[in-house]
Amino acid sequence: MSNTPYRDRPHAKPAGKRPIPAFFGNLWRQSILLFAWPLTTAIVWLVNHLRMPTWMGSDLREFGVRAWGLLWLTGVWVLLWGKVSWGNIVMGVIIGIIVMSVLPLPRVPVEGRLHPLAALNLLVSMLWNFFISSAQVAWAAIRPGPPPLGCVVRVHLAIKSDLVLTLAVNYLNLVPGTMVVEIDHVHRILYVHVFDVRTQKQVDHFAKQMAYVERQFIRAFERDSEWHPSPYHGIDDDYHHVPYTDRQRVADGAQIRKRRKQKEKDS
C-alpha cells in the first residue's frame, strides 16, 4: 500500500529554472551584493565631505531657493519682452544673477520639507474656503437687516518657520472675510479681522477653522520629525518662538480627531 495520498490523482512535479535564466539571476544577485555596499559607502562619503561653494548657498536647500529665484527672475524678464527666445532667456539669466548679487534680499531660512499631497490638500481647502467665503460676503452685502458686524479675533499659532507663517498670513488674506491686521512675531499671535461675526458660536467656528489651517500648514511644510533649523539663525535659541507644548497641542488635537472619526465609523 502506497503512503502517497490520492495516488490515483496526478501530481505536478516542481520545475526548476532553466540553466541560462538561473545563471543570469544569480549574476544579478551577486552584482547587487558586490556593488550596493561600495555605492552606498561612496554616497555617504560624498554627503559628509562634499560642500557646495559659498556663492551657491553652501547648502542644497539654500541652493534650491536661489535657483528658484533665478528661474523666476528669468521668467519675468522673458514676459517683459513678450517673446521666448534663446537671447531673451540668456539675457534674463544674466540680469537675474546681477540682481541677486547686487540687490540681495534677506535670507529666508528653509527649515522644513515640502509634502506635495498635504500642500495640494491645503490648496484645495483654500479654494473651497474662497468660494464659500465669497458667497457669504455677497449674501451679507445684499440681505436685508442691520449691517454686518465684524470683530478682531486673536489667534495663537504653533508655526515655527517665518516663511510658513508668512504663507499662513497670505492664506488668510486671500480668503474673503478675513484680514490679518497685526502680527505678534515673538509670541506667534495673529490679530485677524473677521467679517460678520455676531455670536460666540461664530467665533468658536472661526477658531476651529484656524486650528485646521494651522494643522494643515504644519503637515505640509514643517513636521517635527523633519525639522532642520537653518544655520542662518546662528546660535539664537528662540528663533522660532514656539514652545514644545504648543506643538504637542496640535498633535494631540489631530489624534483626538482621528479617534472621533474611528468611533463614528465603528458606530
Side-chain angles (χ1 to χ4, degrees):
M1 183 176 180
S2 175
N3 294 327
T4 304
Y6 306 107
R7 63 175 181 272
D8 56 332
R9 298 182 183 180
H11 295 275
K13 296 182 179 181
K17 292 184 177 180
R18 297 180 180 180
I20 296 179
F23 170 77
F24 284 103
N26 293 329
L27 182 63
W28 169 251
R29 296 186 184 93
Q30 292 177 4
S31 63
I32 292 178
L33 294 176
L34 290 175
F35 293 103
W37 178 253
L39 180 62
T40 304
T41 305
I43 293 175
V44 172
W45 186 89
L46 289 175
V47 171
N48 293 331
H49 294 82
L50 186 62
R51 294 291 182 269
M52 299 183 67
T54 304
W55 63 272
M56 294 179 65
S58 302
D59 183 74
L60 185 59
R61 290 182 294 178
E62 185 68 20
F63 171 74
V65 173
R66 294 190 181 187
W68 170 252
L70 180 60
L71 181 63
W72 176 262
L73 291 175
T74 303
V76 171
W77 178 264
V78 173
L79 289 176
L80 288 175
W81 283 97
K83 182 180 179 181
V84 180
S85 64
W86 286 110
N88 288 337
I89 294 175
V90 173
M91 196 63 190
V93 172
I94 296 174
I95 296 298
I97 293 175
I98 294 175
V99 170
M100 295 179 66
S101 301
V102 178
L103 303 172
L105 294 174
R107 297 186 183 275
V108 178
V110 181
E111 298 162 314
R113 180 177 296 177
L114 174 64
H115 290 265
L117 294 180
L120 180 62
N121 185 23
L122 183 63
L123 177 61
V124 171
S125 65
M126 185 189 71
L127 295 176
W128 173 255
N129 291 330
F130 179 84
F131 287 111
I132 296 299
S133 300
S134 298
Q136 292 174 348
V137 171
W139 170 246
I142 62 176
R143 72 183 180 187
L149 179 64
C151 70
V152 176
V153 181
R154 184 177 64 181
V155 180
H156 182 205
L157 300 179
I159 295 177
K160 296 181 180 181
S161 172
D162 292 339
L163 176 61
V164 180
L165 181 64
T166 303
L167 294 177
V169 171
N170 291 332
Y171 179 102
L172 296 175
N173 291 335
L174 287 174
V175 176
T178 57
M179 177 64 67
V180 178
V181 296
E182 187 177 350
I183 303 174
D184 187 345
H185 176 266
V186 176
H187 300 94
R188 285 302 196 258
I189 295 177
L190 305 180
Y191 294 89
V192 186
H193 180 271
V194 186
F195 179 78
D196 195 17
V197 176
R198 298 176 180 273
T199 63
Q200 183 63 36
K201 183 178 179 180
Q202 291 175 321
V203 175
D204 295 338
H205 179 68
F206 175 73
K208 291 181 180 179
Q209 289 182 329
M210 287 302 305
Y212 173 79
V213 171
E214 175 189 47
R215 185 171 65 257
Q216 292 301 317
F217 268 98
I218 291 175
R219 287 185 57 193
F221 298 104
E222 52 175 40
R223 301 182 183 184
D224 291 333
S225 59
E226 300 170 348
W227 178 260
H228 300 286
S230 173
Y232 296 113
H233 285 297
I235 59 176
D236 189 7
D237 292 333
D238 58 347
Y239 56 87
H240 53 70
H241 314 290
V242 177
Y244 172 77
T245 54
D246 290 343
R247 301 288 289 197
Q248 190 64 33
R249 168 181 58 82
V250 178
D252 293 341
Q255 292 296 329
I256 292 173
R257 278 180 289 272
K258 288 182 180 179
R259 292 173 184 173
R260 289 178 180 174
K261 291 181 180 179
Q262 188 64 32
K263 288 182 180 180
E264 292 177 357
K265 291 180 179 179
D266 296 339
S267 58

